Amino acid sequence: MTMVIKPACVCDSGNGMPTPFLRKLEQLGGLSPEDRMAIRLAISHQKVVPAHQDIVCYGDKPKAVSVLVNGLACRYKIMPDGRRQIVSFQVPGDICDLPSLVLGRMDHNVGTLAKCTIALASHGALRELIDTHPRIRDALWRHSLADAAIQREWVSNIGRHSAYQRLAHLFCEIAFRLEPVGLKKADGYEFFATQADLGDALGLSVVHVNRVLQQLRSDGLITFSANTLAIRNWERLQDVAGFSPAYLQPDPSKSGEYGAQLPLRDHYRIERANGSRERGARARTIGPKPGP
Amino acid sequence: MTMVIKPACVCDSGNGMPTPFLRKLEQLGGLSPEDRMAIRLAISHQKVVPAHQDIVCYGDKPKAVSVLVNGLACRYKIMPDGRRQIVSFQVPGDICDLPSLVLGRMDHNVGTLAKCTIALASHGALRELIDTHPRIRDALWRHSLADAAIQREWVSNIGRHSAYQRLAHLFCEIAFRLEPVGLKKADGYEFFATQADLGDALGLSVVHVNRVLQQLRSDGLITFSANTLAIRNWERLQDVAGFSPAYLQPDPSKSGEYGAQLPLRDHYRIERANGSRERGARARTIGPKPGP
DNA sequence: CGTGCCCTTGATCCCAATCAAGAAGGGTGG
DNA sequence: CCACCCTTCTTGATTGGGATCAAGGGCACG
């Protein structure tokens, strides 16, 4: 069912390029050559997992950490009534079960949405790395915090956006996450999620996802078929989504350039008429989800 | 505006009890007496912040970390249209801006909902601690992962629950979070959030929050007035919320007892008629939010 | 003793869920 | 090679949860 691949190909995909994982950690931490070699050695092997299969389950205590090398996976929870809520997507370079390294037990499931390649690193090896390589430790810590930032963004996306905006926002997020691992093409990207998956991620019904996708298409923003998302109007897509990539932490070593990545629209400050210094803990609280 | 308090009272609240912060870290990490003393020394001073004031803002790069000692705060984002989405509540013992210690820049705001007491620990002092005290480092890491777990739960709460369930779920969560810091009474707890705050947290309008609260009350589940939440029927409240405290990581040092905290209802496994080993990546995907 | 803030209630509207059912691949086995 | 089935995508009709609009009441605070 799962075929094991020799370790050699884990970190060099033939042409000498580092895998998405290293590229992502690099982006997070600024690793030294020695750090990179150490990570290479910590990865024991790779395996291929078919689509619609769980990588780790709620309650599991994995003894190794799974890194998504290829494919698409998702974190999800199953509600008491049996419905699924996808809580985030996992793209190549993401660590699926990092929380378990530190917390022990998984509080959610991670499952594949398409055929995936997974690299495994034992907890023991990683703990060793963390204790001896502070930069790796920090990169991993940053990884978990970046994950949390995505979750926060999802809360606000689901809580306060219309279906139209939610989809737009999700497509923007995935675009920005695929870019640093080299999987975003000029006009879009491959995205192996069904409309049902999108619904489960955004708290919508399949039927509605379908209709809203058609509207996004007829509005000339995107096209989505044959597992390919084509972005037709990048500007407007970000605009309707109210999307700002700041929460997808860019390279902290280039923190000087960070500000340059903040679009103007991003300065979501409350400008109160009375010029109060209270900036937002009590903001306008009109109801959610304005129409498109 | 903010009055400084002498450091001595930071870790002993008069009667020799550790503050919520230490109690919480303790719960997360199992600190040695020496660890605890080191943390004590890292905290420079305390201050009092009035209600409806920001502690840190989006885009800030704080040079110290703020620990909530007393009061109620929230993480929140401001949407492009000016509306607010509360992304999580912060109760005593929580670290408001831990992400900034590792990532640098804040991707969201933290504001007070009531008058708060805040303890400050400089980034420099904390980095020192992290490098020299592995247990403290792990406790902090766990703290940020526990935070992420809460965010995940919020996504599923907002994405797949009715208003009735969302409120019930939130009240359960706060109860479980206040307990380890000694702020939960037998029949409820103090909760300084307005109905507007609840709406902004759960993606609901104030009007609807009001009506649903009345229903919860008339159903004999809770009472909520004068900043006090009284839980009338703890069993049923958890039940309608589909609440399981597993995501609020209990003491990992007692991981043996962990399973005991999982109510039976919590085994959200997909039982497929065909007995397939695919457990859930593709679950039933009927639409969201069934009625109460 | 006004003036906000918060809670409350009623009426109406609308976004999105639900129900129902057909069409279009894609794979499998006879 | 075709019949069959399963998954995914579509489309139409209906329903409903919750937003929005509007306005009154309690209460604390300057």
Side-chain angles (χ1 to χ4, degrees):
Chain A
M1 171 156 287
T2 60
M3 71 181 199
V4 174
I5 299 178
K6 61 186 159 81
C9 60
V10 169
C11 295
D12 297 283
S13 44
N15 51 14
M17 289 280 288
T19 57
F21 178 46
L22 279 181
R23 290 182 67 166
K24 167 144 194 190
L25 277 191
E26 203 110 331
Q27 173 216 2
L28 285 168
L31 303 177
S32 73
E34 201 260 317
D35 290 334
R36 258 174 288 160
M37 181 53 73
I39 291 174
R40 242 165 257 239
L41 294 175
I43 293 177
S44 59
H45 66 285
Q46 272 187 331
K47 64 181 180 183
V48 172
V49 182
H52 308 296
Q53 202 94 22
D54 283 340
I55 296 171
V56 274
C57 285
Y58 173 89
D60 282 357
K61 290 180 144 187
K63 286 189 286 293
V65 144
S66 305
V67 179
L68 187 59
V69 175
N70 207 298
L72 181 70
C74 67
R75 303 184 189 282
Y76 71 94
K77 299 197 171 204
I78 300 293
M79 312 301 286
D81 60 5
R83 295 187 304 169
R84 174 180 66 160
Q85 173 69 47
I86 290 178
V87 137
S88 79
F89 288 104
Q90 303 288 107
V91 302
D94 287 344
I95 308 176
C96 298
D97 44 9
L98 186 52
S100 74
L101 176 66
V102 183
L103 288 175
R105 202 178 284 260
M106 291 292 290
D107 68 307
H108 61 280
N109 313 283
V110 181
T112 60
L113 296 175
K115 189 170 93 169
C116 289
T117 309
I118 301 253
L120 291 166
S122 79
H123 280 188
L126 276 181
R127 292 220 180 83
E128 177 96 23
L129 277 191
I130 287 168
D131 287 330
T132 53
H133 296 71
R135 270 187 304 264
I136 294 179
R137 175 246 285 161
D138 286 351
L140 290 175
W141 197 340
R142 278 198 193 90
H143 187 288
S144 49
L145 285 168
D147 231 62
I150 291 173
Q151 298 301 158
R152 278 190 290 271
E153 190 73 9
W154 277 47
V155 170
S156 63
N157 190 32
I158 297 180
R160 288 270 180 246
H161 276 161
S162 67
Y164 193 83
Q165 295 175 295
R166 289 187 216 180
L167 277 162
H169 191 281
L170 177 63
F171 292 142
C172 289
E173 176 185 306
I174 303 293
F176 271 96
R177 288 172 64 188
L178 288 180
E179 191 160 42
V181 288
L183 290 173
K184 181 177 175 292
K185 291 152 206 154
D187 58 333
Y189 48 86
E190 287 217 293
F191 192 49
F192 291 90
T194 65
Q195 296 185 1
D197 295 331
L198 294 176
D200 284 348
L202 300 173
L204 299 169
S205 68
V206 202
V207 175
H208 200 56
V209 167
N210 183 284
R211 291 198 236 263
V212 173
L213 280 178
Q214 290 177 56
Q215 206 188 332
L216 281 166
R217 191 183 140 285
S218 71
D219 289 347
L221 299 188
I222 59 138
T223 283
F224 181 43
S225 65
N227 291 324
T228 300
L229 185 92
I231 297 175
R232 286 291 151 75
N233 192 329
W234 186 224
E235 296 282 308
R236 279 219 296 143
L237 188 67
Q238 285 189 66
D239 211 58
V240 308
F243 188 86
S244 144
Y247 72 99
L248 300 168
Q249 293 295 335
D251 186 344
S253 70
K254 303 189 218 163
S255 54
E257 301 172 26
Y258 186 97
Q261 300 206 16
L262 294 179
L264 279 178
R265 134 172 44 76
D266 189 53
H267 298 296
Y268 296 163
R269 283 292 194 281
I270 304 283
E271 315 285 358
R272 311 194 109 202
N274 57 17
S276 160
R277 297 303 297 152
E278 295 181 22
R279 272 189 292 183
R282 182 185 343 190
R284 266 201 291 149
T285 58
I286 37 187
K289 296 165 201 166
Chain B
M1 172 157 286
T2 60
M3 69 182 199
V4 174
I5 299 179
K6 62 185 161 79
C9 59
V10 169
C11 295
D12 298 284
S13 45
N15 51 15
M17 289 282 286
T19 56
F21 179 46
L22 279 182
R23 288 182 70 166
K24 169 145 193 190
L25 277 191
E26 205 110 330
Q27 174 215 0
L28 285 167
L31 304 177
S32 73
E34 200 260 320
D35 290 333
R36 257 175 288 161
M37 179 55 72
I39 291 175
R40 240 166 259 238
L41 293 175
I43 293 178
S44 59
H45 66 285
Q46 271 187 331
K47 63 182 180 184
V48 172
V49 182
H52 309 297
Q53 201 95 23
D54 283 341
I55 296 172
V56 275
C57 284
Y58 173 89
D60 282 356
K61 289 179 143 188
K63 286 188 287 294
V65 143
S66 305
V67 180
L68 186 59
V69 175
N70 206 298
L72 181 69
C74 68
R75 302 184 190 281
Y76 72 95
K77 299 196 172 205
I78 300 294
M79 312 302 284
D81 60 5
R83 295 186 304 168
R84 175 180 66 161
Q85 173 70 46
I86 291 177
V87 138
S88 79
F89 288 104
Q90 301 288 106
V91 302
D94 287 344
I95 307 177
C96 298
D97 44 9
L98 184 53
S100 74
L101 175 67
V102 183
L103 288 175
R105 203 178 283 261
M106 289 293 289
D107 68 306
H108 61 281
N109 313 282
V110 181
T112 60
L113 296 174
K115 189 171 90 171
C116 289
T117 308
I118 300 246
L120 291 165
S122 80
H123 280 188
L126 276 181
R127 292 220 180 83
E128 176 95 25
L129 278 191
I130 288 169
D131 286 332
T132 53
H133 295 71
R135 269 186 304 264
I136 294 179
R137 173 249 284 163
D138 286 350
L140 290 175
W141 197 342
R142 279 198 192 92
H143 187 288
S144 48
L145 285 168
D147 232 60
I150 291 174
Q151 296 302 156
R152 278 191 289 272
E153 189 73 10
W154 277 47
V155 170
S156 64
N157 190 32
I158 296 180
R160 288 270 180 245
H161 276 161
S162 68
Y164 193 84
Q165 295 175 294
R166 289 187 215 180
L167 277 162
H169 191 282
L170 177 62
F171 292 141
C172 290
E173 175 185 306
I174 302 292
F176 271 96
R177 288 173 63 188
L178 289 179
E179 192 160 42
V181 288
L183 290 172
K184 180 175 175 295
K185 292 151 205 154
D187 57 336
Y189 48 85
E190 286 218 293
F191 192 48
F192 291 92
T194 65
Q195 295 185 2
D197 295 331
L198 294 176
D200 284 348
L202 299 173
L204 299 169
S205 67
V206 202
V207 175
H208 200 56
V209 168
N210 183 283
R211 291 196 237 265
V212 173
L213 280 178
Q214 289 176 55
Q215 206 188 332
L216 282 165
R217 191 183 141 285
S218 72
D219 289 348
L221 299 187
I222 58 136
T223 283
F224 181 42
S225 64
N227 291 323
T228 300
L229 185 94
I231 296 174
R232 286 292 150 72
N233 192 329
W234 186 225
E235 295 284 306
R236 277 221 297 145
L237 187 68
Q238 285 190 67
D239 210 58
V240 308
F243 189 86
S244 141
Y247 72 99
L248 300 168
Q249 293 295 336
D251 186 344
S253 71
K254 304 189 218 162
S255 53
E257 303 173 23
Y258 185 99
Q261 300 205 18
L262 294 179
L264 278 179
R265 137 174 40 80
D266 191 51
H267 297 296
Y268 296 163
R269 284 292 194 280
I270 305 281
E271 314 285 0
R272 312 195 108 201
N274 57 16
S276 158
R277 298 302 297 153
E278 296 182 22
R279 271 190 290 183
R282 183 184 344 190
R284 266 201 293 150
T285 60
I286 36 186
K289 297 165 201 167

